[in-house]
Amino acid sequence: MTQTPIKTSTGKTFTHLVSKEGGVKYPLKALNVCEETFSPLEVAYDYDEIRRQVSRESIEAGPHSIWRYKAFLPVESENPIDVGTGMTPLVKSNRLARQLGLKNLYIKNDAVNMPTLSFKDRVVSVALTRARELGFSTVSCASTGNLANSTAAIAAHAGMDCCVFIPSDLEAGKVLGTLIYNPTLMAVKGNYDQVNRLCSEVGNSYGWGFVNINLRPYYSEGSKTLGYEVAEQLGWELPDHIVAPLASGSLFTKIYKGFNEFVKVGLVDEKAVRFSGAQAEGCSPIAQAFKEGRDFVTPVKPNTIAKSIAIGNPADGCYALEVARKTNGNIESVTDAEIVEGMKLLAETEGIFTETAGGTTIAVLKKLVEAGKINPDEKTVVYITGNGLKTQEAVQGYIGQPFIIEPKLESFERALERSRTLERLEWQQTNV
Amino acid sequence: MTQTPIKTSTGKTFTHLVSKEGGVKYPLKALNVCEETFSPLEVAYDYDEIRRQVSRESIEAGPHSIWRYKAFLPVESENPIDVGTGMTPLVKSNRLARQLGLKNLYIKNDAVNMPTLSFKDRVVSVALTRARELGFSTVSCASTGNLANSTAAIAAHAGMDCCVFIPSDLEAGKVLGTLIYNPTLMAVKGNYDQVNRLCSEVGNSYGWGFVNINLRPYYSEGSKTLGYEVAEQLGWELPDHIVAPLASGSLFTKIYKGFNEFVKVGLVDEKAVRFSGAQAEGCSPIAQAFKEGRDFVTPVKPNTIAKSIAIGNPADGCYALEVARKTNGNIESVTDAEIVEGMKLLAETEGIFTETAGGTTIAVLKKLVEAGKINPDEKTVVYITGNGLKTQEAVQGYIGQPFIIEPKLESFERALERSRTLERLEWQQTNV
């Protein structure tokens, strides 16, 4: 007996671009701003078609990467650029949770995302796949570092020409971690906002695909996968509360969009998820607006060690504000010293070495718990978005030193005695 | 109609320790050398029991980490320490393969292994799980860097005390990437072999679990997962040829053991796999023995930028030699300059930033292809074992520079013109 196979539709799931304000429609080209309303453009989907195409089972049977959610992403290719990006661990926290007094803490660890160890690999995989579909042979970006690493690496893999723009004062690891892939690298004497403005000018005249400018509507959709994965990894359930870093504000709003889409197509039950955001005090325009009850963001000049999130004029700042407010979340900021403490705390309790942005998020998590703004029972997910090996300068001088010894047992024993004395002193100091 | 569920046996699959020479049996304790034959001890398994427990399907349904192969690993715990280690991408190479003239090249990419970006996370996950079972509360290791990172991180996650020994001249990234987890760190004025000797003395008197000394029989088994994963990721088939770096020689012999075990329990068909090894010329005792037809390894004093594989007196050198010879493979060495070129080549063609050990392996792969020692049609797997962000010094000065520009269109245009002129000159130089 043979069965007629169930026809699987593979129709296109995304239909057009639409302006966030006013709903003006545009074709699926390299466009990012509505000419009428000046608001950003977003990708629009056919959710009935998505519902027909996907189920929990079909997703679980897909690749172990962001492409298991391909029906929710704005690409047509049968073979998108897949370098193993996504499906990073969702770690159930034991030691950090205990230290903070939380009972249901999870860490989404994009510090080990592939290939370049930050969440940017998600957005770049989507953007470069779409860039190829749209016929671009040169790709580019304005970056605070992680995006530069990711664009250069994935462009190298895909054999595309690449020109990357960064502020000239970036951490050494981020510069070298870009140059190694041999792109053209422009180090601009200025902050990220100035780099970004320059790139908009270049974009108009060179016909390049700027992943976070003219390709931004496609690019930014990649961040939704940080929502999808958490929902799937929690056993097809949404968390109660998420804490994520805020730079442009895009990541935050896209996690929100991802959760809502999963509800819309019936993959998870509806739930009120609280969204809390983290900024560095030295660049906290969104946190300031939140505290002051404003619904607009006043640009600031960044001055913080958390360079990867130092965006003084955040493109999606007002949308991030809106999400935090309507979900009963919070937006907090922390000092550079607290950021370093956050990095150390995560490393010492969970064995995860994150960059300054992750230190910011952990420090804000701590601050929110201490202020009673996170309930110990809430199923809370904290998003770690990048790797500490790229911002080594930030912790140099704030961590312990090795004991320098001779290759002899006596020399080791003297050092061990010293280390135990130091531990006792530390213990006495904290237990006076 | 209900079916009787098939009874799944979960009996212990490892039975005792046994000396590599002479087959002397020992109990499953923290022991690594046979007192009668002085040869290393290895874990012995009950392969009939493993065959009863596992199938391709049961493995595929397991966790997305090394623990899907738990039946083949020497731990008893129901909940081994799982921080997402393993199941790194096996990338089908396009651009590197084309450049080298290979048709079936795959890259096993442990540069993105979790949590600390090297294959050492595999062996440490196994060793610390076993250390916990054996009652150790303090774990330790002698390391060239990657093992230090991994032991410190996973011990932090598991809440175990940790003391790590390294040579004092290690790369900055490896020192900081250890200290961040707050272990006791001993930087020994000497090379790895001196560090290792010191640790053996310490091990005898302190009752600590040294992952690569008294726990070595358990620890080293973790490397077998690099064999299992490749076989599974190739669609339950063995490759024709593998190329891997040689430090102590353990990794190499354990990949070989992994393949053979999969054949033994019927998960893959038998196949003659060729094993080729890579060393840095500045520390190539195994390659020298191979060239000279010796079956013993003469220790050397290391002097190379490839510090993570700079072991002058390799514990498993003679077994690695034996594997290369009996599988019709080769062992080659390359200069430091070739190592840097190998790192750049892999980054520029595949978007993978590896450390010096990976540069060594790529450079040896190239050398073997050019010498006609790898057939272009062979299904070849090259093992990349660590991340380039940890050895930034090695490529600093050998990669391009950014163009420093003002945040103005004219400044960008002048730089772009310069970069295009440089490219033309380079093209002319290589096409004279």
Side-chain angles (χ1 to χ4, degrees):
Chain A
M1 201 178 87
T2 57
Q3 282 193 324
T4 311
I6 297 159
K7 194 166 177 299
T8 309
S9 167
T10 53
K12 193 160 150 181
T13 52
F14 62 114
T15 53
H16 57 278
L17 297 179
V18 61
S19 66
K20 275 193 95 146
E21 326 278 341
V24 187
K25 287 187 180 184
Y26 287 85
L28 291 164
K29 295 191 176 157
L31 297 167
N32 63 314
V33 180
C34 172
E35 286 166 9
E36 294 175 36
T37 65
F38 301 106
S39 75
L41 298 181
E42 268 207 312
V43 178
Y45 295 86
D46 176 349
Y47 290 104
D48 292 327
E49 179 59 30
I50 295 178
R51 204 178 295 112
R52 270 192 295 275
Q53 286 186 25
V54 306
S55 63
R56 292 179 180 180
E57 293 70 28
S58 75
I59 290 172
E60 285 167 356
H64 196 80
S65 74
I66 58 167
W67 297 114
R68 68 207 277 118
Y69 311 109
K70 185 166 172 282
F72 294 91
L73 296 172
V75 307
E76 300 171 66
S77 320
E78 281 302 307
N79 290 304
I81 301 170
D82 189 352
V83 283
T85 303
M87 288 307 278
T88 54
L90 181 71
V91 181
K92 176 83 165 83
S93 167
N94 291 313
R95 301 186 68 226
L96 176 62
R98 201 156 53 231
Q99 189 133 340
L100 296 178
L102 293 176
K103 291 181 194 145
N104 271 305
L105 179 64
Y106 291 81
I107 302 164
K108 179 61 174 171
N109 186 11
D110 261 19
V112 288
N113 198 17
M114 298 172 195
T116 67
L117 315 174
S118 87
F119 87 98
K120 292 291 184 186
D121 292 328
R122 300 172 182 274
V123 284
V124 172
S125 293
V126 173
L128 296 201
T129 299
R130 186 64 187 154
R132 209 173 52 180
E133 292 174 1
L134 293 172
F136 290 103
S137 57
T138 300
V139 289
S140 189
C141 66
S143 170
T144 54
N146 281 322
L147 181 57
N149 295 173
S150 187
T151 304
I154 302 180
H157 177 88
M160 301 170 100
D161 286 332
C162 179
C163 180
V164 165
F165 295 76
I166 54 171
S168 59
D169 70 340
L170 273 197
E171 298 94 342
K174 286 190 176 161
V175 178
L176 185 131
T178 303
L179 282 171
I180 189 72
Y181 306 108
N182 202 23
T184 302
L185 180 60
M186 299 285 168
V188 182
K189 289 185 193 160
N191 60 36
Y192 173 76
D193 302 288
Q194 292 173 292
V195 175
N196 201 27
R197 269 198 301 278
L198 173 62
C199 286
S200 296
E201 285 187 72
V202 175
N204 291 333
S205 35
Y206 280 80
W208 293 351
F210 275 82
V211 300
N212 56 340
I213 303 178
N214 55 355
L215 295 169
R216 191 172 182 86
Y218 308 102
Y219 158 90
S220 58
E221 290 288 284
S223 291
K224 295 190 305 185
T225 58
L226 273 170
Y228 304 146
E229 288 179 19
V230 161
E232 180 178 349
Q233 289 171 322
L234 286 175
W236 300 103
E237 194 185 63
L238 299 183
D240 297 315
H241 203 145
I242 72 109
V243 183
L246 296 176
S248 73
S250 171
L251 169 73
F252 198 68
T253 59
K254 293 296 177 173
I255 295 171
Y256 181 76
K257 185 174 179 185
F259 286 164
N260 285 334
E261 287 180 332
F262 260 27
V263 172
K264 196 176 291 184
V265 302
L267 286 169
V268 297
D269 290 338
E270 192 158 7
K271 193 180 201 181
V273 185
R274 298 173 66 197
F275 275 67
S276 290
Q279 293 211 293
E281 212 166 279
C283 183
S284 51
I286 312 177
Q288 285 170 25
F290 185 85
K291 265 175 226 168
E292 294 165 15
R294 282 186 272 121
D295 59 2
F296 61 94
V297 174
T298 310
V300 301
K301 214 167 165 186
N303 179 21
T304 168
I305 57 166
K307 295 184 186 180
S308 67
I309 52 172
I311 298 184
N313 188 13
D316 295 290
C318 58
Y319 302 112
L321 266 180
E322 196 187 322
V323 166
R325 288 216 177 95
K326 76 179 168 201
T327 63
N328 195 24
N330 287 281
I331 299 176
E332 254 309 344
S333 63
V334 285
T335 65
D336 283 1
E338 289 172 305
I339 291 169
V340 171
E341 283 309 308
M343 292 171 73
K344 287 170 66 178
L345 178 61
L346 185 66
E348 291 173 15
T349 55
E350 296 290 343
I352 294 172
F353 184 17
T354 183
E355 61 160 15
T356 45
T360 307
T361 313
I362 294 296
V364 163
L365 171 73
K366 186 162 178 276
K367 200 165 174 178
L368 291 175
V369 173
E370 285 167 358
K373 291 175 176 170
I374 292 178
N375 181 320
D377 292 308
E378 279 183 306
K379 192 171 278 186
T380 301
V381 174
V382 59
Y383 282 90
I384 298 302
T385 49
N387 196 292
L389 284 172
K390 296 188 192 180
T391 61
Q392 299 181 28
E393 299 91 328
V395 288
Q396 199 90 54
Y398 299 98
I399 51 177
Q401 291 286 322
F403 294 90
I404 314 281
I405 64 171
E406 301 293 329
K408 289 187 182 124
L409 195 58
E410 313 84 72
S411 182
F412 159 71
E413 284 176 335
R414 278 195 303 274
L416 187 67
E417 194 40 56
R418 265 200 329 276
S419 95
R420 284 176 173 166
T421 309
L422 284 174
E423 262 172 45
R424 265 195 305 276
L425 283 174
E426 230 168 76
W427 188 88
Q428 283 165 358
Q429 277 176 344
T430 51
N431 291 272
V432 172
Chain B
M1 200 178 86
T2 57
Q3 283 194 322
T4 312
I6 296 159
K7 194 164 178 299
T8 308
S9 166
T10 53
K12 193 159 150 182
T13 52
F14 62 114
T15 53
H16 57 278
L17 297 179
V18 61
S19 65
K20 277 192 93 146
E21 327 277 342
V24 187
K25 286 187 181 185
Y26 287 86
L28 291 164
K29 295 193 176 156
L31 298 168
N32 62 315
V33 180
C34 173
E35 286 166 8
E36 294 175 35
T37 65
F38 302 106
S39 76
L41 299 181
E42 268 207 311
V43 178
Y45 295 86
D46 177 350
Y47 290 104
D48 292 327
E49 179 60 31
I50 294 178
R51 204 178 297 112
R52 269 192 296 275
Q53 288 187 25
V54 307
S55 63
R56 292 180 181 179
E57 294 69 30
S58 75
I59 290 172
E60 286 166 357
H64 196 82
S65 74
I66 58 167
W67 296 113
R68 68 208 277 119
Y69 310 109
K70 184 166 173 282
F72 295 91
L73 296 171
V75 307
E76 300 172 67
S77 319
E78 280 302 307
N79 290 305
I81 301 170
D82 188 353
V83 283
T85 302
M87 289 306 278
T88 54
L90 181 71
V91 180
K92 175 83 163 84
S93 168
N94 290 313
R95 301 187 67 226
L96 176 62
R98 203 156 50 230
Q99 189 132 339
L100 296 178
L102 293 176
K103 292 182 195 145
N104 271 306
L105 178 65
Y106 292 80
I107 303 165
K108 179 62 175 170
N109 185 11
D110 260 21
V112 287
N113 198 17
M114 298 172 194
T116 67
L117 315 174
S118 87
F119 87 97
K120 292 291 185 186
D121 292 327
R122 301 172 181 273
V123 284
V124 172
S125 293
V126 173
L128 296 201
T129 300
R130 186 64 187 154
R132 209 172 53 179
E133 292 173 2
L134 293 172
F136 291 103
S137 58
T138 299
V139 289
S140 189
C141 66
S143 170
T144 55
N146 281 321
L147 181 57
N149 295 173
S150 186
T151 304
I154 302 178
H157 177 88
M160 301 170 99
D161 286 331
C162 180
C163 181
V164 165
F165 295 76
I166 54 171
S168 60
D169 70 341
L170 272 199
E171 298 94 342
K174 286 189 176 161
V175 178
L176 185 132
T178 302
L179 283 171
I180 189 72
Y181 306 108
N182 202 23
T184 302
L185 181 60
M186 299 284 169
V188 182
K189 289 185 194 161
N191 60 35
Y192 173 76
D193 302 289
Q194 291 173 293
V195 175
N196 201 28
R197 268 197 301 277
L198 173 62
C199 286
S200 296
E201 285 187 71
V202 175
N204 290 334
S205 36
Y206 279 80
W208 292 352
F210 275 82
V211 300
N212 55 341
I213 302 178
N214 54 357
L215 295 169
R216 191 173 182 86
Y218 309 101
Y219 158 90
S220 57
E221 290 288 284
S223 291
K224 295 189 305 184
T225 59
L226 273 170
Y228 304 147
E229 289 179 18
V230 161
E232 180 178 349
Q233 290 171 322
L234 285 175
W236 300 102
E237 193 185 65
L238 298 183
D240 297 314
H241 203 144
I242 72 111
V243 183
L246 296 177
S248 73
S250 171
L251 169 73
F252 197 69
T253 59
K254 292 297 178 172
I255 295 171
Y256 180 76
K257 184 174 179 184
F259 287 164
N260 284 334
E261 287 180 333
F262 260 28
V263 171
K264 197 176 291 184
V265 301
L267 286 168
V268 297
D269 289 338
E270 192 157 6
K271 192 181 201 179
V273 185
R274 298 173 66 197
F275 275 67
S276 290
Q279 293 211 293
E281 211 166 280
C283 183
S284 50
I286 312 176
Q288 285 169 24
F290 184 85
K291 264 175 227 168
E292 294 166 13
R294 282 186 272 120
D295 59 3
F296 61 92
V297 174
T298 311
V300 301
K301 214 169 166 184
N303 179 21
T304 168
I305 57 167
K307 296 184 185 179
S308 67
I309 51 173
I311 298 183
N313 188 13
D316 294 292
C318 58
Y319 302 112
L321 265 180
E322 195 186 320
V323 167
R325 288 215 177 95
K326 76 179 167 199
T327 63
N328 195 25
N330 288 281
I331 299 177
E332 253 309 345
S333 64
V334 286
T335 64
D336 283 1
E338 289 172 306
I339 291 169
V340 171
E341 283 309 307
M343 291 171 73
K344 288 171 66 179
L345 179 62
L346 184 65
E348 291 174 16
T349 55
E350 297 290 343
I352 295 172
F353 184 17
T354 183
E355 60 161 16
T356 44
T360 307
T361 312
I362 294 296
V364 163
L365 170 73
K366 186 162 178 274
K367 200 166 174 177
L368 291 176
V369 174
E370 286 168 357
K373 290 174 176 171
I374 292 178
N375 181 319
D377 292 308
E378 278 182 307
K379 192 170 278 186
T380 302
V381 174
V382 59
Y383 283 91
I384 298 302
T385 49
N387 196 292
L389 284 171
K390 297 188 192 179
T391 61
Q392 299 182 28
E393 298 90 328
V395 286
Q396 200 90 54
Y398 300 98
I399 51 176
Q401 290 286 323
F403 293 90
I404 314 282
I405 63 171
E406 301 294 328
K408 290 185 182 124
L409 194 58
E410 313 84 73
S411 183
F412 159 70
E413 285 176 336
R414 277 196 303 274
L416 187 66
E417 192 43 54
R418 264 198 333 274
S419 96
R420 285 176 174 167
T421 309
L422 286 174
E423 262 173 44
R424 264 196 305 276
L425 284 174
E426 230 169 76
W427 189 88
Q428 283 165 358
Q429 277 176 344
T430 51
N431 289 273
V432 172

